[in-house]
Amino acid sequence: MTQMLKPTDLNIAQCADIWRSGGLVAFPTETVYGLGADACNGDAVAAIYAAKARPSFNPLIIHVADITTAQRYAVFSDTALQLAQAHWPGPLSLVLPIKRGCGLSELVTAGLETVAVRIPENPLARQLLGRFGGAVAAPSANPSGAISPTTARHVHAGLSGKIDAIIDGGPCHVGLESTILKVGPDRVHLLRAGGLPLEDIACDVVVSHPRGTEDAPQSPGQLQSHYAPNAQLRMNVTEAHEREYHIGFGAVAGQINLSRSADLREAATKLFAYLRMADEDAATLGKSHIAVAPIPHEGLGMAINDRLKRASAPRG
Ligand code: TXA
Ligand code: MG
C-alpha cells in the first residue's frame, strides 16, 4: 500500500520516520519528484533500484538540508564552496570527492570515488530533509526510462504499490532535473544540462561543456533512451504529419503549446506533463507519433533539447 500524504507537520514527521526505518518516500523538489531513502542504509537504497527497475550501475544524488550536512559526506574545494553558496538551495547537483568513512552506502555511488550532492529549494523538501537530519538518496520518482514526474499524481501512476508513501507538495515549478557539475581541481565539467541554465552559473573557474550535451563527459549510466513516451517522438518539427500529435512552442502552434510567448522557463515547467498528455491524447486520436516544435538551444532550452533528444532516441 502506498500512502498519499498531505504536507502537514505530522506527515512530515512520519516521512522522516519511514526513512529512518528503511522505507521509501517520494517527495517534491523544485525540479522533479524524487524517490527518497536513507543514503546510509544499503537495503533501503537497494529498494529504490528495485522499485524503479533501475540498472544498479547508475549512481544516485544525495539530498541534504544544508551545507554543513553536505560536508559530512563530500569534500568541498574552494570552487565547490563558491558554487554551493551561489546556487544552493536550488536546481544544481555537485559531483565531489566522497568523504572517507562517511557511512554512505556504496550502492549510492555505484562504487565511484565521487558523490553527487544537492540542496533542493522546495520548502517541503527542506523541511523533510531537516527533520531527517542526514542524507536522502533520491533519483527521479519514475520507473527507469519513463518520463520524470512533476506532480504527486505522476508518481502514483508509475510507482503505486511499490513504495511506502508519496507526500504531495503540488507541481514542481522548475520541471527539469538539476544541472549536474563535476568539480575537479582546476576544471568544472557539465555532466547534465538541467534546471540551472549554463549561462547563469556563477563560478571563477571555466565550466567546460560541449556545443550540445550529447558530446558531454557522460554521467555513468546516462542511458540514451530515457524520458520516453509510448509514442515515437520527433524533434524540431515545424509542420507535423497526419499521424503525428504536435506539441508547439511559440509561433509553431501545435495541438498543445509549451509556451505561446516562447518563454523557456514556462516550457521547462510544462515539458514532462505535456509529454504525458500528448501520449494520452495521441492514443485517443489514433496518432502513432509525437512531433515537437523547434526549441532554441540556449538557457533552459539546452536542457529541454537534451531531454527531447533522449525521449526520441531509438528504444533499447
Ligand atoms: O533534479 C534532480 O536531480 C532529481 C531530483 C529528484 O533531485 N534527481 C535526479 O536523479 O534526476 P536521477 O537519478 O534521475 O539522475 C541522477 C544523475 C544520473 O545521471 C547519474 O549518473 C548522475 O546523476 N550521478 C550521480 N552520481 C554521480 C557521480 N558520482 N558522478 C557522476 N554522475 C553521477
Ligand atoms: Mg531520472
Side-chain angles (χ1 to χ4, degrees):
M1 246 294 277
T2 300
Q3 300 183 69
M4 260 294 194
L5 302 174
K6 294 205 155 50
T8 62
D9 287 346
L10 206 66
N11 287 339
I12 290 169
Q14 193 196 333
C15 290
D17 283 342
I18 295 175
W19 280 333
R20 281 187 202 104
S21 56
L24 303 184
V25 180
F27 65 104
T29 80
E30 69 278 21
T31 59
V32 299
Y33 273 71
L35 177 58
D38 178 354
C40 293
N41 179 334
D43 291 341
V45 178
I48 293 180
Y49 285 102
K52 282 181 61 89
R54 179 178 175 112
S56 55
F57 52 76
N58 194 358
L60 305 177
I61 298 171
I62 64 165
H63 299 64
V64 294
D66 49 53
I67 293 187
T68 316
T69 310
Q71 287 173 322
R72 289 189 354 224
Y73 303 99
V75 181
F76 282 71
S77 63
D78 289 347
T79 305
L81 211 53
Q82 183 190 22
L83 285 163
Q85 279 162 351
H87 299 293
W88 282 352
L92 173 68
S93 297
L94 296 176
V95 173
L96 305 172
I98 191 166
K99 194 142 184 181
R100 297 251 157 256
C102 67
L104 283 179
S105 159
E106 288 230 320
L107 276 177
V108 170
T109 53
L112 297 170
E113 301 283 298
T114 53
V115 60
V117 194
R118 95 172 258 246
I119 300 180
E121 178 245 272
N122 178 288
L124 177 55
R126 298 198 73 197
Q127 286 178 68
L128 287 160
L129 295 168
R131 187 82 192 209
F132 179 66
V136 170
S140 49
N142 52 281
S144 187
I147 300 170
S148 296
T150 53
T151 66
R153 198 175 55 80
H154 295 163
V155 179
H156 190 267
L159 295 177
S160 177
K162 301 192 166 140
I163 63 179
D164 297 294
I166 303 167
I167 188 158
D168 188 351
C172 303
H173 75 82
V174 174
L176 292 173
E177 294 85 351
S178 60
T179 298
I180 305 180
L181 296 179
K182 181 168 184 167
V183 185
D186 41 33
R187 286 186 88 173
V188 175
H189 295 281
L190 176 73
L191 297 189
R192 179 176 74 186
L196 177 67
L198 201 58
E199 296 89 333
D200 295 354
I201 294 171
C203 181
D204 292 341
V205 172
V206 177
V207 178
S208 71
H209 67 94
R211 285 172 306 283
T213 45
E214 56 273 18
D215 307 323
Q218 295 269 306
S219 277
Q222 282 241 11
L223 306 173
Q224 262 296 317
S225 171
H226 209 130
Y227 314 102
N230 292 322
Q232 274 294 333
L233 186 144
R234 197 160 69 93
M235 294 174 68
N236 296 316
V237 178
T238 313
E239 296 215 18
H241 302 147
E242 182 58 36
R243 61 175 187 191
E244 287 175 328
Y245 184 89
H246 199 188
I247 302 180
F249 177 80
V252 179
Q255 262 111 349
I256 50 177
N257 194 298
L258 286 167
S259 172
R260 293 199 180 276
S261 60
D263 175 355
L264 288 168
R265 196 162 290 275
E266 182 187 2
T269 308
K270 290 182 171 166
L271 179 68
F272 289 142
Y274 274 34
L275 285 176
R276 285 169 192 266
M277 210 194 313
D279 228 3
E280 284 166 21
D281 290 357
T284 313
L285 297 171
K287 298 194 188 268
S288 54
H289 289 60
I290 296 171
V292 186
I295 309 287
H297 206 66
E298 65 197 24
L300 288 170
M302 199 171 152
I304 294 173
N305 283 324
D306 170 80
R307 302 305 184 271
L308 288 174
K309 184 151 190 271
R310 290 177 206 282
S312 61
R315 312 293 161 84

